[in-house]
Amino acid sequence: FRIDNTGPSSVEIIDPPTVVTRIPSHYLSGLGEADGTVEVWINDILDSNNTCNGLGGFNFYLNLTEGKNAVTLRAFDQYGAGPTVRLYNFTLDTMDPIASLDIEDQFNITRNIDLNGHWFNSTSIDQGMDQNFTYIENLTWRYVDPFGRSEMFYGPAGLLIDFQELGTHVIELTVRDPARNTNTTRVNIHVVDISTPIVTIDGSLIVDEDDTVSFEPNVTDNDR
């Protein structure tokens, strides 16, 4: 006869999900000790009890709940010795971030002419139950001028645009969170004036002393 009172040497999930994921259900394979058993606990609740084959392999479904999930594998050998414990942490995030810009109105934007261009800043926020992974991971801007020419900008929290043409300009912002949930917002900007007005003063340039004279402004603007 033989006595075996030591648990399995190791237990693991083969190709586990990413630490933060937007997929709630996973069909996974694990490796324990041949002919042993492996319990899967999620947040201290027994989820499944699995039997290993002759090579130590086992399969199970992992069903995550929104937020942080502490997944514990408790492995026993065929004689019940153990447990050998392995801990994993997975965060399920199925909530899309909110994509937004610092604009006064989504449909009507009025801003003063600025020779240095116009800043548009992201005010986007992420939603999630695990604060460790609730943040905007990536920002992508797309700018389209009135002639359909587009340009992409990756990463900055703000975008500087110098409007050179009259017409409709499009700014599009796409944001992504650590779980790869994405959301997009866009705004159409109708530029109706890109040049400063021309002003002159009409009136006599030479006058006699003590005469009273008047001057009139003459203002023209070539934008409509």
Side-chain angles (χ1 to χ4, degrees):
F1 65 94
R2 62 189 294 257
I3 297 176
D4 184 351
N5 58 5
T6 60
S9 59
S10 65
V11 62
E12 63 179 323
I13 299 174
I14 301 172
D15 294 327
T18 56
V19 173
V20 56
T21 178
R22 59 180 177 175
I23 302 173
S25 297
H26 303 261
Y27 184 67
L28 301 175
S29 297
L31 185 63
E33 186 172 301
D35 301 319
T37 60
V38 176
E39 298 175 348
V40 179
W41 294 70
I42 303 178
N43 296 327
D44 296 325
I45 298 175
L46 179 62
D47 188 69
S48 65
N49 195 342
N50 310 276
T51 301
C52 301
N53 60 29
L55 298 177
F58 63 97
N59 299 311
F60 67 101
Y61 282 99
L62 179 64
N63 297 303
L64 303 175
T65 58
E66 193 76 22
K68 186 176 180 180
N69 295 260
V71 178
T72 304
L73 304 184
R74 293 167 53 89
F76 302 84
D77 66 15
Q78 60 181 316
Y79 306 108
T84 298
V85 177
R86 181 74 177 269
L87 176 64
Y88 295 86
N89 287 309
F90 302 109
T91 292
L92 176 64
D93 181 1
T94 63
M95 304 172 68
D96 291 337
I98 298 174
S100 61
L101 300 174
D102 61 336
I103 57 178
E104 299 84 359
D105 188 303
Q106 186 71 23
F107 303 102
N108 299 286
I109 298 176
T110 301
R111 295 196 176 184
N112 294 329
I113 293 175
D114 188 340
L115 297 179
N116 296 319
H118 300 261
W119 276 103
F120 294 88
N121 299 297
S122 170
T123 54
S124 306
I125 59 174
D126 188 24
Q127 305 179 95
M129 295 181 63
D130 185 349
Q131 295 304 308
N132 291 324
F133 297 101
T134 304
Y135 56 88
I136 300 297
E137 183 180 64
N138 180 271
L139 299 96
T140 300
W141 299 83
R142 178 171 176 261
Y143 165 66
V144 184
D145 70 13
F147 301 101
R149 298 172 298 199
S150 65
E151 192 172 0
M152 304 292 289
F153 304 89
Y154 301 96
L159 183 67
L160 179 65
I161 299 294
D162 182 13
F163 296 107
Q164 298 288 336
E165 295 91 10
L166 299 175
T168 301
H169 302 247
V170 178
I171 293 179
E172 186 176 86
L173 172 64
T174 299
V175 294
R176 188 186 72 205
D177 69 11
R180 307 192 72 80
N181 299 303
T182 62
N183 212 340
T184 299
T185 187
R186 63 180 289 165
V187 61
N188 296 330
I189 301 169
H190 307 291
V191 177
V192 297
D193 191 346
I194 59 174
S195 63
T196 57
I198 300 172
V199 59
T200 59
I201 299 176
D202 294 338
S204 299
L205 299 180
I206 300 175
V207 298
D208 293 333
E209 186 177 356
D210 297 328
D211 283 355
T212 299
V213 295
S214 63
F215 296 92
E216 297 291 337
N218 182 12
V219 182
T220 59
D221 191 4
N222 61 350
D223 289 321
R224 297 182 183 274

